[in-house]
């Protein structure tokens, strides 16, 4: 078992993502905060296939839940009325324990429970769960510090929420700068983990203020952009060192807007601003150089690779499908870009090239240039 863990932990991000996909697990971004979760998923799945997690005499029945497989004991540890009916059991007797779906009314709500990446799980606990009983969902969530649960009318949405990492928004730098609780210069962290972090000298902009920034990007208004973000860095940096959302609903960050509207100059300006230590220092005045660089890496990573809420597409997907060659060139040249991200339909950026280009007369030329830029960089 230790040899298996060691071999998986030594995989590169690209290799880990590839192995997860080969195993039928639709993995999200492989980042420093999410990698432990995906490693554990793959370790558990491979260990089960090799029989390393099956105690002597245990039934071979397994439950297929979302990303991975868990033993029937795991499901039995949770009340059967609370596990979403989408989970299916496989056993020698297919009729054993089968529910009469025709006679059961659909639940009013589904409660998805999202767990932190560092959750200490045993073999008898379900890693992701969707419940139909609010009390049971709350009990399960309380077992893990930093866990969250949310109600949905649609089971698929609850499943998607359960597959997210609860502490995804907490940056490594934020954890490093944790200060003693009760210090007069600290405030409670907004990441849901109870971390006490340095208070910020700027207030978060209101939604209407963020609209001004989005319009500045859309209209190529460099002066307005710089005036806004340098007067308050939180126009770009939200809680937990995450990208500010400039368009609610689909949750577009600044790079999504640049890619969709074909604003290469604003795209360069946005990335240059985020990577400027002086800009980060405005918000975190007490950071060491190492911590400041860690924040920059984390933030730029999220800007480049966080998918939108609609079709789960990154800024690179946007630039490719709209045929915006210069944006593709800027994004693919950045070393932190994850080049093999898939949208909700399993499509890579190369799969959607020019699918929504407006000027069809330029499609052939744009497609050739974009595919040339993508060639060799997509794993």
């Amino acid at each position: 078992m230790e040899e298996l863990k060691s071999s998986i932990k030594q995989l590169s991000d690209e290799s880990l993502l590839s192995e997860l996909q080969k195993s039928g697990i639709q993995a999200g971004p492989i980042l420093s905060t999410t990698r432990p979760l995906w490693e554990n998923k793959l370790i558990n799945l491979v260990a089960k296939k090799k029989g390393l997690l099956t105690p002597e005499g245990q039934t071979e029945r397994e439950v297929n839940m979302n990303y991975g497989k868990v033993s029937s004991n795991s499901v039995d540890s949770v009340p059967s009325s609370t596990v979403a009916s989408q989970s299916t059991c496989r056993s020698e007797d297919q009729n054993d324990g089968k529910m009469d779906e025709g006679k059961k009314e659909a639940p009013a709500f589904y409660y998805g429970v999202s767990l932190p990446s560092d959750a200490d799980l045993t073999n008898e606990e379900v890693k992701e769960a969707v419940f139909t009983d609010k009390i049971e969902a709350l009990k399960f969530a309380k077992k893990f510090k930093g866990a969250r649960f949310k109600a949905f009318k649609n089971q698929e949405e609850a499943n998607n929420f359960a597959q997210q990492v609860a502490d995804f928004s907490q940056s490594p730098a934020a954890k490093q700068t944790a200060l003693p609780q009760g210090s007069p210069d600290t405030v409670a962290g907004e990441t849901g983990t109870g971390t006490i972090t340095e208070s910020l000298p700027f207030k978060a902009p209101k939604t209407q203020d963020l609209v001004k920034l989005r319009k500045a990007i859309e209209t190529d208004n460099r002066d307005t952009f710089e005036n806004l973000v340098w007067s308050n860095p939180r126009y770009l940096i939200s809680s937990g060192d995450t990208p500010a959302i400039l368009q609610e609903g689909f949750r577009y960050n600044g790079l999504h807007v640049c890619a969709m509207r074909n604003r290469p100059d604003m795209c360069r300006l946005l990335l240059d601003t985020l990577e400027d230590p002086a800009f980060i220092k405005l918000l975190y005045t007490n950071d060491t150089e190492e911590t400041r660089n860690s924040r920059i890496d984390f933030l730029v990573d999220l800007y480049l690779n966080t998918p939108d809420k609609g079709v789960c597409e990154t800024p690179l997907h946007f630039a490719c499908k709209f045929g915006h060659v210069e944006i593709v060139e800027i994004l693919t040249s950045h070393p932190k870009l994850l080049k093999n991200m898939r949208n909700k339909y399993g499509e890579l950026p190369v799969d959607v090239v020019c699918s929504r280009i407006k000027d069809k007369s330029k499609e052939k030329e744009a497609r050739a240039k974009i595919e040339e830029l993508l060639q060799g960089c997509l794993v």
Side-chain angles (χ1 to χ4, degrees), residues 123-254:
N123 293 339
E124 296 181 353
E125 291 172 320
V126 183
K127 203 158 193 178
E128 293 110 7
V130 175
F131 299 83
T132 56
D133 185 286
K134 182 178 180 180
I135 301 300
E136 295 298 336
L138 182 59
K139 287 180 180 178
F140 184 73
K142 283 184 176 180
K143 294 180 182 179
F144 307 96
K145 184 177 180 180
R148 299 178 297 153
F149 82 99
K150 188 175 180 181
F152 299 88
K153 290 187 176 181
N154 182 288
Q155 183 177 343
E156 182 179 356
E157 292 179 355
N159 287 336
N160 291 337
F161 179 81
Q163 293 162 6
Q164 297 175 5
V165 182
D167 63 349
F168 179 79
S169 64
Q170 185 174 12
S171 74
K175 295 178 181 177
Q176 292 171 10
T177 57
L179 300 174
Q181 189 167 1
S183 170
D185 296 324
T186 64
V187 293
E190 300 177 69
T191 59
T193 61
T195 302
I196 305 300
T197 59
E198 178 184 357
S199 61
L200 302 179
F202 299 93
K203 291 184 178 181
K206 297 179 180 179
T207 302
Q208 56 266 37
D209 295 325
L210 291 172
V211 171
K212 294 179 182 178
L213 181 62
R214 191 187 80 222
K215 291 187 178 298
I217 294 175
E218 292 174 340
T219 57
D220 244 346
N221 192 329
R222 184 188 183 100
D223 290 339
T224 299
F225 177 90
E226 291 186 325
N227 288 336
L228 289 173
V229 302
W230 283 93
S231 65
N232 184 353
R234 297 195 69 181
Y235 271 95
L236 294 180
I237 307 174
S238 187
S239 60
D241 295 345
T242 56
I245 301 303
L246 301 189
Q247 185 164 325
E248 296 293 343
F250 290 120
R251 298 186 66 78
Y252 296 155
N253 67 44

Side-chain angles (χ1 to χ4, degrees), residues 58-64 69-73 76 87-99:
Q58 178 180 318
T59 176
E60 291 297 324
R61 186 177 66 179
E62 295 182 338
V63 178
N64 182 5
K69 296 179 180 178
V70 296
S71 68
S72 59
N73 281 0
D76 292 339
S87 301
T88 58
C89 296
R90 292 187 292 124
S91 65
E92 293 181 1
D93 183 0
Q94 293 292 335
N95 295 322
D96 182 25
K98 185 176 180 181
M99 299 179 63

Side-chain angles (χ1 to χ4, degrees), residues 214 218 247 252 254-263 315 318-319 321-322 324 327 356 358:
R214 191 187 80 222
E218 292 174 340
Q247 185 164 325
Y252 296 155
L255 284 185
H256 282 109
V257 178
C258 291
M260 182 166 54
R261 299 296 184 182
N262 195 21
R263 296 292 182 260
F318 278 37
K321 71 180 181 181
F322 287 110
H324 297 156
I327 299 288
R356 292 187 59 185
K358 292 183 178 180

Side-chain angles (χ1 to χ4, degrees), residues 295-312:
R295 289 189 193 277
I296 292 173
D297 289 345
F298 181 82
L299 183 61
V300 172
D301 189 339
L302 291 185
Y303 259 96
L304 287 165
N305 302 309
T306 300
D308 76 314
K309 191 178 178 181
V311 193
C312 203

Side-chain angles (χ1 to χ4, degrees), residues 17 30 41-42 44-45 51 63 104 122 124 132 150 182 199 206 211 233 253 273 293 307 311 327 330 345 351 367 379:
L17 182 62
I30 306 295
K41 286 179 183 290
L42 187 57
N44 288 338
L45 185 59
V63 178
K104 184 178 179 181
T122 67
E124 296 181 353
T132 56
K150 188 175 180 181
S199 61
K206 297 179 180 179
V211 171
N253 67 44
T273 302
N293 290 337
V311 193
I327 299 288
I330 295 170
Y345 304 112
D351 298 325
R367 178 183 294 276
V379 179

